[in-house]
Amino acid sequence: MAVLRIMPDIACDDPAKAEMFYGEIIGMDVLMDMKWIKTLGGGTAARPQISFMTQGGNDTPVPDISIEVDNLDEVLDRCTAAGHQPVYGPAKEDWGVRRFFVHDPFGTLINVLQHISPD
């Protein structure tokens, strides 16, 4: 037996807002759209992962979702241009990531991160 995928499910009143935020701002593709459910994903074969946290690192709140991107600055620019202001960061963390926290249109706390090379 193998776990093939872990997908967070976020309750919302308008899946089109999810496509705008996660698709146009974060850069995910629409994988399924049945009107009542819209699934978005990336174009890479990622390993299934789930994290359990007592805090979000550096005494931040635990985020609901962490999304790794390949260009943090581009995503940050798209977030702020769309009116989604970071509530933490951008910050370079000791464990080798740059990241920021932002709320999606439904209030979900997103940890957007990019792995960086050590100095």
Side-chain angles (χ1 to χ4, degrees), residues 85-105:
Q85 298 302 316
V87 295
Y88 173 77
K92 182 178 177 182
E93 306 291 12
D94 294 339
W95 53 90
V97 299
R98 279 188 66 233
R99 67 182 183 152
F100 67 92
F101 286 12
V102 66
H103 287 104
D104 75 2

Side-chain angles (χ1 to χ4, degrees), residues 1-3 11 14 19 21-22 25-27 30-31 35 40 43 48-49 59 63 70-71 82 92 94 97 107-109:
M1 188 202 100
V3 174
D14 186 356
E19 184 175 354
F21 183 83
Y22 291 96
I25 294 173
I26 300 295
V30 175
L31 304 177
K35 305 303 177 215
L40 289 95
Q49 295 183 354
D59 296 320
D70 63 359
N71 189 328
K92 182 178 177 182
D94 294 339
V97 299
T108 307
L109 185 60

Side-chain angles (χ1 to χ4, degrees), residues 14-52:
D14 186 356
K17 289 180 184 175
E19 184 175 354
M20 173 65 166
F21 183 83
Y22 291 96
E24 294 181 27
I25 294 173
I26 300 295
M28 300 173 101
D29 300 319
V30 175
L31 304 177
M32 178 179 66
D33 185 353
M34 298 174 64
K35 305 303 177 215
W36 61 271
I37 180 174
K38 189 176 292 261
T39 302
L40 289 95
T44 62
R47 295 183 324 253
Q49 295 183 354
I50 187 167
S51 298
F52 302 89

Side-chain angles (χ1 to χ4, degrees), residues 8-12 21-22 62-67 84 87 101-111:
D9 296 317
I10 299 172
C12 71
F21 183 83
Y22 291 96
V62 174
D64 297 300
I65 301 173
S66 293
I67 300 175
H84 300 280
V87 295
F101 286 12
V102 66
H103 287 104
D104 75 2
F106 318 110
T108 307
L109 185 60
I110 311 299
N111 172 29

